[in-house]
Amino acid sequence: MSNTGRKDADAMIARILSRVGTALQSTSPTDSAHVTELGAGALEREERAALTRVSGLSTESEDVSEVEYRQLRLEKVVVVGLYSATIEEAEVSLRELAALAETAGAEVVDGLLQRRVTPDPATYLGSGKAQELARIVAETKADTVIVDTELAPSQRRGLEDVIKVKVVDRTALILDIFAQHAKSREGKAQVELAQLEYLLPRLRGWGESMSRQAGGRVASGEGIGSRGPGETKIELDRRRIRTRMAKLRRDIAAMAPARLTKRRSRQRNAIPSVAIVGYTNAGKSSLMNALTEASVMVQDALFATLDPTVRSAQTPEGKVYTLTDTVGFVRNLPTQLVESFRSTLEEVAFADLLLHVVDGAHPDPVSQVEAVHQVLSQLEGTEGIPELVVINKADLAQPANLVALRTRYSTSITVSAVTGQGIEDLRAAIAQSLPRPHVLLDAVVPYSRGDLIHRVYQEGDVLNIGHLEGGTHIRAMVSPELSATIQSVEVNSE
């Protein structure tokens, strides 16, 4: 390689390792102060910081004898990717992969990008590049290679045979991060199900450990000696995994009624629902805290939020609505996660309005918007829901980039959840976008039912109000459910 080519390659690797445009780049003093303030999930952040990887656990293939549903062991990693068109897009994706690796607790020591139209079916990179990667792994003493795509089982095995260390693909890395961050019982069950669905076709043992056969009581660890051919170890593991997956699906289905009851309660009270969606680390939880003064955990990391959080909020006119903080999306979000988290993500499908939060300081925010839309398209019931684009991190973004984003998304709102810039404009835009009640109510409500008058002010649009001898005369636009309730009270009072 010429000196110029070597310098270009070194500059590219430096950009990848700098994490520019990812959750792990250096933050401004203002942002750091906001993230570390007490009350905004500080205890949960402290708890996560205490969960670190244990060093000294080798992941080299010759030391591994168990199947791969153990926890990933990541220490020093090398990130690898391919590109066929522009290198800029590939660099952004590889920087994001490096940030994901550090979120999982690893140290990224090097990176490799190769121009190739199609991946090699045997080793993903091709034999020459695989040998070069093996040299990089040996020089940096890396224990794991992370590939910026989902590998076929044969590609992973072929690459591992060349480089002699563990190979992890993007999907397995994201699943590992989710497993670390899930806190609720349902979230843990959903992540475990996704991990097992990913693992099942990829079971592999090293050496002869997975091809042993035993019969009789030997297969279950009892007795001595063989009683003829029985299940191989890999067959036994597959059966156990399928049994566990069936139990997890039953458990997740059993958790659905509680969430459905809460949702029906909100619908019965005609409370509009707003769901916050967006790319991971776009600032969704910070925005929720700014709108509701909640203490949702905020962390400058990818996939900080996994379990949905619902809080009550009010428009400037005092109308109540719910605000739901959802899991962040990412490019090539594993299909297993979309399927496993479908019960959680259905909160989005029942929303009256989507707040699509965009990271205005990211180098390529448009591709993030497209990635979010791609995931939303996989969820039933999201078609036709109004969407309000919120360009966040205005305090960190370049003015020219903000102008370009506002031009592309003409109805967007520019805010900074950290400084409060644009939050009042956002509240007003939400109030304008929420569904309006469409039933005209003209009734006299007894003075003893002031609670109903309060509900009209919170849920409807009051047109006129007066006080008569028999009660409060009110004309308002309300929901059908509230109109029926008040009409029944009016009839009973007569």
Side-chain angles (χ1 to χ4, degrees):
M1 181 182 292
S2 66
N3 290 336
T4 303
R6 182 69 260 174
K7 288 180 180 179
D8 290 343
D10 290 344
M12 178 196 70
I13 298 305
R15 289 194 297 272
I16 291 171
L17 299 183
S18 71
R19 323 289 187 272
V20 174
T22 70
L24 302 179
Q25 73 182 85
S26 60
T27 54
S28 67
T30 305
D31 194 41
S32 299
H34 174 75
V35 168
T36 56
E37 69 179 18
L38 293 175
L43 292 177
E44 189 170 349
R45 283 196 303 276
E46 184 178 333
E47 179 184 347
R48 286 191 182 181
L51 296 173
T52 57
R53 298 283 184 180
V54 178
S55 61
L57 298 176
S58 173
T59 61
E60 295 187 2
S61 59
E62 60 264 30
D63 295 334
V64 177
S65 60
E66 73 275 18
V67 295
E68 294 172 356
Y69 49 77
R70 68 193 185 282
Q71 185 179 16
L72 289 179
R73 298 170 182 170
L74 304 175
E75 294 181 34
K76 293 183 178 181
V77 304
V78 176
V79 292
V80 178
L82 298 182
Y83 70 98
S84 58
T86 61
I87 192 172
E88 289 79 14
E89 183 177 344
E91 282 189 28
V92 169
S93 183
L94 208 59
R95 285 200 297 269
E96 182 177 273
L97 184 69
L100 286 168
E102 292 200 355
T103 299
E107 176 191 355
V108 181
V109 294
D110 212 334
L112 179 68
L113 268 177
Q114 181 195 11
R115 180 163 188 165
R116 189 183 180 97
V117 177
T118 57
D120 180 69
T123 61
Y124 179 70
L125 294 173
S127 58
K129 254 333 185 199
Q131 292 293 343
E132 182 181 338
L133 177 60
R135 288 193 296 271
I136 293 174
V137 167
E139 290 170 1
T140 58
K141 294 182 171 54
D143 59 68
T144 306
V145 168
I146 304 179
V147 180
D148 193 19
T149 188
E150 183 171 327
L151 292 176
S154 59
Q155 289 175 317
R156 182 174 57 81
R157 287 194 295 268
L159 193 55
E160 284 177 338
D161 290 342
V162 175
I163 64 177
K164 305 303 182 185
V165 298
K166 182 96 176 108
V167 173
V168 175
D169 63 17
R170 183 185 180 94
T171 300
L173 178 62
I174 293 174
L175 289 171
D176 183 60
I177 295 171
F178 271 54
Q180 291 183 53
H181 289 188
K183 294 188 68 66
S184 70
R185 179 167 167 260
E186 184 173 17
K188 291 177 180 178
Q190 289 168 329
V191 172
E192 184 181 354
L193 178 60
Q195 286 179 309
L196 294 178
E197 286 179 337
Y198 170 81
L199 169 71
L200 189 58
R202 294 173 172 83
L203 280 183
R204 181 195 181 185
W206 302 100
E208 300 298 321
S209 66
M210 299 298 284
S211 61
R212 297 192 302 268
Q213 286 187 330
R217 293 182 299 170
V218 179
S220 58
E222 303 175 24
I224 300 175
S226 175
R227 307 192 187 280
E231 289 182 307
T232 62
K233 189 172 185 297
I234 195 168
E235 289 168 347
L236 183 63
D237 283 319
R238 282 176 180 152
R239 180 164 57 82
R240 287 172 173 167
I241 287 175
R242 290 190 183 100
T243 301
R244 178 62 178 166
M245 286 169 62
K247 182 181 184 302
L248 287 170
R249 288 192 178 100
R250 290 194 299 270
D251 291 346
I252 292 171
M255 299 175 201
R259 190 175 54 255
L260 182 60
T261 299
K262 293 178 181 178
R263 186 186 303 125
R264 282 177 175 169
S265 175
R266 297 196 295 267
Q267 292 172 339
R268 184 167 55 251
N269 293 329
I271 299 176
S273 172
V274 178
I276 303 178
V277 299
Y279 209 79
T280 181
N281 201 50
K284 298 182 296 299
S285 298
S286 297
L287 188 64
M288 184 170 188
N289 287 338
L291 288 170
T292 65
E293 298 182 0
S295 293
V296 176
M297 198 277 293
V298 175
Q299 188 177 26
D300 189 25
L302 303 179
F303 299 118
T305 300
L306 289 189
D307 301 311
T309 304
V310 182
R311 292 288 185 271
S312 177
Q314 285 188 347
T315 66
E317 297 80 22
K319 287 185 174 55
V320 175
Y321 62 93
T322 61
L323 203 59
T324 304
D325 188 15
T326 62
V327 61
F329 302 145
V330 71
R331 290 182 187 87
N332 305 318
L333 189 68
T335 305
Q336 297 90 347
L337 278 178
V338 177
E339 289 298 322
S340 298
F341 274 75
R342 189 172 296 278
S343 57
T344 300
L345 292 173
E346 68 185 13
E347 288 286 347
V348 176
F350 284 92
D352 297 299
L353 174 66
L354 299 182
L355 286 190
H356 186 163
V357 183
V358 181
D359 182 355
H362 192 271
D364 189 11
V366 174
S367 68
Q368 292 191 342
V369 173
E370 293 171 351
V372 171
H373 285 157
Q374 183 179 3
V375 176
L376 289 175
S377 67
Q378 301 178 48
L379 303 175
E380 295 181 5
T382 57
E383 309 88 0
I385 300 178
E387 180 186 56
L388 180 60
V389 175
V390 182
I391 303 171
N392 192 25
K393 303 187 183 180
D395 55 320
L396 300 176
Q398 296 295 325
N401 293 342
L402 290 178
V403 170
L405 283 172
R406 283 197 296 263
T407 302
R408 186 180 184 96
Y409 307 106
S410 56
T411 59
S412 61
I413 304 292
T414 302
V415 305
S416 170
V418 172
T419 65
Q421 173 188 342
I423 294 298
E424 292 307 317
D425 292 337
L426 177 58
R427 285 196 175 101
I430 293 173
Q432 289 294 322
S433 303
L434 289 176
R436 315 300 297 182
H438 58 276
V439 175
L440 177 62
L441 172 71
D442 190 341
V444 177
V445 182
Y447 288 121
S448 60
R449 295 305 307 268
D451 59 312
L452 292 178
I453 300 296
H454 178 68
R455 280 188 60 187
V456 172
Y457 272 101
Q458 279 199 320
E459 302 172 18
D461 293 327
V462 177
L463 304 177
N464 189 25
I465 191 167
H467 300 285
L468 306 177
E469 183 178 348
T472 303
H473 178 224
I474 189 166
R475 293 183 75 251
M477 303 300 294
V478 297
S479 66
E481 294 79 10
L482 183 54
S483 176
T485 300
I486 292 178
Q487 294 289 356
S488 65
V489 170
E490 186 183 33
V491 170
N492 292 334
S493 65
E494 294 175 355

